[in-house]
Amino acid sequence: MTLWERSRRPGSRRRIVGKDDKPVTDPVQILWMPSGISLPSLGSRALAHVHDGDTPYVEMPIRMLSVDTPETTADTAEGAKRVDEEFKQLAAWIRDGIAPISDDLAEFLLPKIETGNAGSLQFGQGTAAATFNTENIKKRLAEGRDPGKERGIFIRTAGDFFDDNNRLLAYIAPNYSKKELDTLPREKRPTFNLDLITEGWAAPFVIYPSIPGELDLPLFLRAADKAVKDEKGIWKDPHTLLAYEYRALEKLHGVTKKKAEGKKLEPGEAFSWRTRYCADMRDRELHGPEDYFRVPPIYRLWLWPQDVNEAFGHLNLTPSQRLTGSGSRTR
């Protein structure tokens, strides 16, 4: 009998046996289903180097938590102009009652997309935000270091570890020594996430359960409130579409275009462009996906539908009357 032959005795389990008819491995009594997330290939450039046999260094994207910078998905100024036209068309469809959007939310968003430059404004702001973040990170990593040397990066996750695009969800900051941490107050060693909020290049985008801690959240909200009042960055233009609004309207344009062309929508497709619920951090009132605008931007706490029930108990939320009662009319 060879090493790889399997016994088939009546009533016995299949097992790998050796020449002496004894199992090569002993049976175990431990059954464990590990939790975790499987990530797809990180790409051909993901492997940075191998330090030793069991320590490869890899590169991967990080989605900065609790902030949302303007999008640059148009890629070029010409691409942004195409979005300008798409949003103008969407505005016309909304006016004609074709788009599946509530009257109240439509009234809130129409002034922002009827300008004719919503896409170009978003692209310009996104480019400026990326430039600021690049320069700010480089500057802060060099602070307090010898010329030509940089600090390491501190990474902290919260709640969920990865998003749907397989990006690590985290707060990132320069890595400070214990002595520095003991002497520098929090506001003097902010995360890069908070820097974006402070300079007005990102809108607050806190999503349950990845909520800043009890010491960080007040700091975060004060910075956001000041940036809005001082009209810094994206807050300078009253017609600014926040990045999550921009992404939702791109989806709404696709849905409405299909509807305008007489194509049949799949079940639930008419409302697939907006899914997150929004709670007001001040009074814990929960609003439906199309009522988020009733909460000032800095106090919006976002929840995915699958997290709403859990969040109700953890955060003691209260549903709005519109969510439980008459609601708003949808076109």
Side-chain angles (χ1 to χ4, degrees):
M1 183 175 291
T2 66
L3 179 65
W4 302 109
E5 286 185 276
R6 296 181 182 271
S7 63
R8 295 179 179 273
R9 296 189 182 91
S12 67
R13 294 183 179 178
R14 300 179 69 179
R15 55 181 181 165
I16 299 177
V17 297
K19 293 182 178 180
D20 56 0
D21 202 28
K22 291 183 178 180
V24 173
T25 56
D26 294 329
V28 297
Q29 301 297 319
I30 297 297
L31 178 64
W32 181 252
M33 299 297 290
S35 60
I37 299 175
S38 296
L39 295 178
S41 169
L42 294 178
S44 60
R45 299 180 59 188
L47 181 62
H49 66 274
V50 176
H51 178 66
D52 57 31
D54 58 5
T55 312
Y57 283 69
V58 298
E59 298 175 352
M60 67 179 304
I62 293 177
R63 175 61 168 91
M64 298 172 71
L65 279 170
S66 299
V67 300
D68 202 14
T69 61
E71 295 289 346
T72 58
T73 49
D75 294 328
T76 64
E78 291 72 23
K81 289 179 180 178
R82 287 194 292 271
V83 178
D84 292 339
E85 295 304 314
E86 290 178 353
F87 280 10
K88 283 177 63 178
Q89 177 63 74
L90 176 59
W93 283 330
I94 292 175
R95 292 291 186 191
D96 292 339
I98 299 174
I101 184 173
S102 68
D103 291 340
D104 292 341
L105 181 56
E107 183 179 352
F108 174 75
L109 291 174
L110 276 170
K112 299 183 178 186
I113 61 176
E114 287 183 323
T115 60
N117 72 333
S120 295
L121 177 61
Q122 184 80 187
F123 182 73
Q125 291 176 336
T127 302
T131 298
F132 167 78
N133 204 19
T134 300
E135 295 176 350
N136 182 58
I137 290 176
K138 182 178 181 180
K139 174 186 175 182
R140 291 195 56 205
L141 291 181
E143 287 177 349
R145 310 298 289 177
D146 293 332
K149 293 187 177 182
E150 293 184 343
R151 295 177 182 272
I153 291 181
F154 171 81
I155 299 176
R156 181 168 186 172
T157 60
D160 296 329
F161 293 121
F162 296 96
D163 69 2
D164 291 339
N165 294 314
N166 303 298
R167 297 174 296 182
L168 179 66
L169 299 169
Y171 297 96
I172 56 177
N175 191 39
Y176 294 100
S177 67
K178 184 178 185 305
K179 181 180 179 181
E180 289 173 316
L181 292 175
D182 290 340
T183 56
L184 285 173
R186 285 177 177 266
E187 57 270 19
K188 295 296 183 180
R189 47 183 173 88
T191 62
F192 299 132
N193 311 50
L194 182 57
D195 285 338
L196 284 166
I197 293 293
T198 300
E199 295 304 317
W201 288 120
F205 195 46
V206 182
I207 303 178
Y208 176 90
S210 299
I211 303 174
E214 74 282 0
L215 298 179
D216 294 315
L217 184 59
L219 187 67
F220 182 86
L221 296 181
R222 284 197 298 271
D225 184 52
K226 189 174 189 307
V228 172
K229 290 178 179 177
D230 291 347
E231 298 182 352
K232 301 180 73 173
I234 63 174
W235 307 110
K236 183 178 181 180
D237 194 317
H239 294 116
T240 288
L241 281 170
L242 301 183
Y244 48 79
E245 294 174 327
Y246 177 86
R247 294 190 297 269
L249 289 175
E250 283 188 310
K251 295 177 181 177
L252 178 60
H253 175 270
V255 170
T256 308
K257 183 175 185 292
K258 187 174 178 180
K259 186 177 177 184
E261 293 173 349
K263 298 178 181 178
K264 183 178 180 181
L265 299 181
E266 298 295 327
E269 187 177 1
F271 306 106
S272 61
W273 59 275
R274 87 297 182 271
T275 54
R276 284 184 297 266
Y277 288 73
C278 182
D280 191 325
M281 295 188 200
R282 299 168 300 176
D283 58 12
R284 302 190 305 277
E285 185 174 24
L286 182 70
H287 299 268
E290 293 189 49
D291 281 337
Y292 74 87
F293 68 95
R294 302 181 188 283
V295 182
I298 67 172
Y299 298 114
R300 292 170 187 167
L301 171 62
W302 299 92
L303 303 95
W304 291 106
Q306 64 269 23
D307 294 326
V308 169
N309 286 339
E310 178 184 271
F312 256 100
H314 285 181
L315 303 178
N316 194 26
L317 301 179
T318 302
S320 67
Q321 290 184 354
R322 292 172 61 85
L323 190 60
T324 59
S326 60
S328 59
R329 185 175 67 84
T330 297
R331 298 165 184 259

